[in-house]
Amino acid sequence: MASIIKVDTIQDQDGNNIINENANTITIGKSGDTVQVAAGATLEGAGLAWQSVQTTGFTASAGNGYPCNTTSGGFTVTLPASPSVGDQVQIVDYAGTFDTNGLVIDPGSNNLQGSTTDLQLDGEREGVILTYVDATQGWIATSGINEGTNALGPVSYSIDFLVVAGGGSGGSSGGGGAGGGAGGFRTSTQTVTPGTAITVTVGNGGAGPSTGASSNDGSDSSISGSGLTTITSAGGGGGASPNHAGRSGGSGGGGAGTTAGGGAYHAGGAGNTPSTSPSQGNDGGTASAPYGYNGAGGGGAGAVGTSNVGADGGTAGSGGNGTASSITGSSVTYAGGGGGGVYNGTIGSGGTGGGGDGGKNLPAPAVSPQDGTDNLGGGGGGHRDNPAAAGGKGVVILSVPTTNYSGTTTGSPTVSTSGSNTIMQFNGSGSYTA
């Protein structure tokens, strides 16, 4: 016959409870005791208490397991604020969507694997048990499923990019020097993973040609890196000169006559070459009859260069206007086309965004053509029968959330802040490690 002992409490010889029942709660040991299961024995029924499926951000409680469904979008789980050593929280991917919409783990006021930085779960069907070990390491991953190399990965974030190429030089033509085309203007927003090295290339402006020499195109600017879509902005096309038409490029160089008073002309160069969507620039202006007295303006990021007007004593074409960006926190216009030059008449003005004005000989006083503005990517001004102006150097600007900014750069970018973002302006080539 089986024996039955009926008691509410079992104590040791010192009067400390070993087992105590109070209503439906049974307590084994007292605070500070170690309850040990013998080697080879199995303890069944103990473990984390599983909660209902979570679909929005929440604060976890120690001792609970949470199936998390990110089908409608990723969200954040905040770990308990005042954990004790040994506390655990378990997270699993309920719908197999962590790879599409990651689940961010926020340690709150404590550490997570030795840092206060958020981490995330981003593997399909991934799960992890987080255990609080001490104030130094805080919560650490003590087991996981489908986690790859690490159960917890870094949180990816978005970077805004502005990429402006170098502007083309103006043309120096016996038929009226044309303005240079602006450097290509492109923007992009991309998601990066911490540790990604981003290479930044900033293109130079085309050098100003001597009298009668061929104009020069600007150089390309670009950003690239592992997992990123490379963004390349094409250098601006040089303005028309005696032996060639306006060159194609990010924006095209302006057109001009072949000789003073002549009946032939060179066309303006094509913009948005190579083609991008949205367009990175516009065509240079087309020379209009009589062709030989003044040049057309170079294209800008925001507008086509304008044509020249009239014969001797007429008006050269203005450069096309550029495009404004507020990536730095203030509105700045970039990539204006260069103005056309004239021997006797009214010069073409450079387009807003760093385009250089054209030059003239008459009426006195003579005016030299102006270079495109560096780090705006403007086209250089043209000049008839005199050296033309250089295009402006390009620029690359990155805007990252300040909480994610690593501070790891090369090339000495200018670093500033605007609101919650840190801005890096690269006036020369360099790199940023996310």
Side-chain angles (χ1 to χ4, degrees):
M1 179 177 177
S3 298
I4 299 175
I5 300 175
K6 294 184 177 182
V7 296
D8 292 330
T9 302
I10 299 176
Q11 296 183 337
D12 62 17
Q13 292 181 351
D14 296 325
N16 298 312
N17 290 350
I18 298 174
I19 301 175
N20 174 259
E21 179 184 14
N22 184 2
N24 292 325
T25 299
I26 298 175
T27 302
I28 300 175
K30 65 180 180 60
S31 178
D33 286 350
T34 297
V35 178
Q36 182 172 326
V37 178
T42 300
L43 181 64
E44 297 184 352
L48 299 170
W50 283 95
Q51 307 301 302
S52 61
V53 176
Q54 310 294 308
T55 58
T56 59
F58 65 95
T59 298
S61 295
N64 287 344
Y66 297 93
C68 294
N69 184 354
T70 62
T71 300
S72 299
F75 56 88
T76 298
V77 177
T78 303
L79 296 177
S82 301
S84 299
V85 173
D87 281 354
Q88 291 186 321
V89 171
Q90 186 167 4
I91 304 291
V92 295
D93 182 2
Y94 171 82
T97 53
F98 282 3
D99 57 332
T100 303
N101 299 311
L103 186 81
V104 175
I105 308 297
D106 178 357
S109 58
N110 299 292
N111 283 343
L112 175 58
Q113 299 194 159
S115 170
T116 57
T117 301
D118 293 357
L119 296 175
Q120 72 175 354
L121 300 172
D122 55 10
E124 183 178 347
R125 295 297 180 188
E126 188 174 0
V128 65
I129 294 176
L130 298 170
T131 303
Y132 185 80
V133 292
D134 60 23
T136 302
Q137 290 297 317
W139 297 89
I140 63 172
T142 52
S143 66
I145 56 171
N146 300 328
E147 78 276 12
T149 304
N150 296 302
L152 293 169
V155 179
S156 58
Y157 62 95
S158 293
I159 300 182
D160 294 328
F161 298 95
L162 172 64
V163 182
V164 180
S169 78
S172 175
S173 171
F185 174 102
R186 299 187 67 188
T187 62
S188 177
T189 299
Q190 300 192 49
T191 299
V192 300
T193 300
T196 300
I198 301 170
T199 300
V200 173
T201 301
V202 177
N204 290 316
S210 58
T211 302
S214 295
S215 60
N216 296 293
D217 300 338
S219 300
D220 297 351
S221 293
S222 65
I223 59 99
S224 62
S226 177
L228 294 178
T229 298
T230 297
I231 302 296
T232 301
S233 295
S241 66
N243 57 359
H244 68 73
R247 295 183 180 277
S248 299
S251 283
T258 57
T259 59
Y265 74 99
H266 288 308
N272 194 32
T273 303
S275 179
T276 65
S277 179
S279 173
Q280 62 179 310
N282 288 281
D283 296 346
T286 300
S288 60
Y291 305 116
Y293 296 95
N294 39 64
V304 173
T306 61
S307 299
N308 54 310
V309 178
D312 193 23
T315 301
S318 295
N321 288 333
T323 297
S325 169
S326 295
I327 190 171
T328 62
S330 300
S331 180
V332 177
T333 301
Y334 302 85
V342 61
Y343 182 79
N344 179 22
T346 303
I347 62 174
S349 59
T352 56
D357 294 342
K360 69 167 185 168
N361 290 351
L362 296 173
V367 175
S368 297
Q370 301 299 301
D371 293 341
T373 303
D374 282 341
N375 306 124
L376 294 180
H383 204 340
R384 179 183 146 180
D385 295 335
N386 288 90
K393 191 173 186 177
V395 68
V396 174
I397 300 175
L398 283 62
S399 176
V400 307
T402 297
T403 55
N404 300 112
Y405 174 60
S406 72
T408 304
T409 64
T410 64
S412 300
T414 300
V415 180
S416 61
T417 58
S418 175
S420 60
N421 280 21
T422 293
I423 315 301
M424 291 167 280
Q425 177 167 322
F426 287 85
N427 295 328
S429 298
S431 67
Y432 168 65
T433 300

